[in-house]
Amino acid sequence: MGNSKSGALSKEILEELQLNTKFTEEELCTWYQSFLKECPSGRISKTQFETIYSKFFPDADPKAYAQHVFRSFDANNDGTLDFKEYMIALHMTSSGKTNQKLEWAFSLYDVDGNGTINKQEVLEIITAIFKMITGEDQKHLPDDENTPDRRTNKIWDYFGKKDADRLTEGEFIQGIMNNKEILRLIQFEPQKVKDKRK
């Protein structure tokens, strides 16, 4: 496998990404060229990420959620995503294994990065998610989950936690595996709201 097609993409990073994602060498090289066009420095800033993310949600305010997503993928906490972090993020959110997605979801909800989730952190992420749900769609949500507070309470109750309790990563993943309703509540899936209205 030659390195000629990959341009500036190092062989080590290419091999690591092929091992850890579903992408082929050709796809990775194409993504890399596109990434360099958007981010000539080879790094994407939080602001650039928010701009790209907002294109997927033109009728909503995804800024707060995008900031949390960015934080969860900035593995070395340097305030930028390099190509490797970006591709792992893309893989994990689009086609990663269930366990990988749940590990990522845990890191998303672990706002302060201390290895546990408290109810306030759940509320912070749910509030960011609600900024992406149109007012019209919010009207169609069940009464016990139609505000960030109500949805947070419902999630916390499903985990069987008191207000001051904390969730470990194992409890978080196991709770979701045991109750798919929690998975629905912690995600932003506008299509599911629309499907319920039909």
Side-chain angles (χ1 to χ4, degrees):
M1 148 176 119
N3 205 20
S4 57
K5 277 199 289 181
S6 64
L9 186 58
S10 81
K11 188 173 179 179
E12 293 78 28
I13 290 176
L14 187 60
E15 287 173 355
E16 186 178 344
L17 286 171
Q18 282 181 281
L19 276 175
N20 293 305
T21 71
K22 67 171 181 71
F23 303 114
T24 65
E25 178 179 354
E26 194 173 321
E27 289 171 323
L28 288 165
C29 292
T30 303
W31 274 104
Y32 188 63
Q33 297 309 318
S34 173
F35 182 82
L36 283 180
K37 277 185 193 145
E38 290 286 322
C39 311
S41 69
R43 306 193 78 71
I44 186 169
S45 70
K46 188 187 292 188
T47 305
Q48 287 171 305
F49 185 80
E50 288 168 17
T51 302
I52 292 167
Y53 210 87
S54 67
K55 290 176 185 171
F56 293 103
F57 304 99
D59 302 326
D61 177 12
K63 185 176 180 180
Y65 190 72
Q67 288 171 351
H68 287 295
V69 171
F70 183 91
R71 171 193 43 80
S72 71
F73 287 122
D74 183 9
N76 59 3
N77 292 320
D78 69 352
T80 64
L81 297 182
D82 61 22
F83 181 69
K84 186 171 108 180
E85 290 169 321
Y86 183 74
M87 290 310 294
I88 288 173
L90 192 64
H91 166 74
M92 195 127 27
T93 55
S94 65
S95 59
K97 293 181 177 81
T98 301
N99 221 43
Q100 287 177 313
K101 286 182 178 180
L102 294 179
E103 286 170 6
W104 170 71
F106 180 83
S107 71
L108 179 72
Y109 277 82
D110 183 12
V111 176
D112 63 9
N114 72 351
T116 62
I117 296 173
N118 64 33
K119 190 174 181 182
Q120 189 56 43
E121 289 172 312
V122 173
L123 179 60
E124 188 171 336
I125 301 299
I126 296 299
T127 300
I129 288 172
F130 262 73
K131 288 181 179 175
M132 299 192 308
I133 303 173
T134 66
E136 187 57 34
D137 284 345
Q138 285 182 33
K139 289 178 193 171
H140 298 281
L141 292 171
D143 289 344
D144 63 346
E145 59 184 72
N146 63 1
T147 69
D149 284 315
R150 288 179 184 163
R151 182 172 283 196
T152 298
N153 287 336
K154 190 172 183 178
I155 292 167
W156 214 240
D157 289 346
Y158 273 132
F159 280 113
K161 295 292 187 180
K162 294 183 175 65
D163 282 0
D165 288 346
R166 296 185 152 278
L167 274 173
T168 64
E169 184 175 21
E171 289 174 312
F172 180 81
I173 291 172
Q174 196 58 51
I176 292 171
M177 298 295 260
N178 292 341
N179 188 336
K180 297 296 181 212
E181 189 66 8
I182 298 173
L183 182 60
R184 180 185 68 78
L185 292 169
I186 67 167
Q187 299 181 96
F188 170 63
E189 292 193 24
Q191 193 54 48
K192 293 217 168 137
V193 174
K194 289 185 176 106
D195 291 345
K196 282 186 173 181
R197 285 166 41 184
K198 289 179 181 169

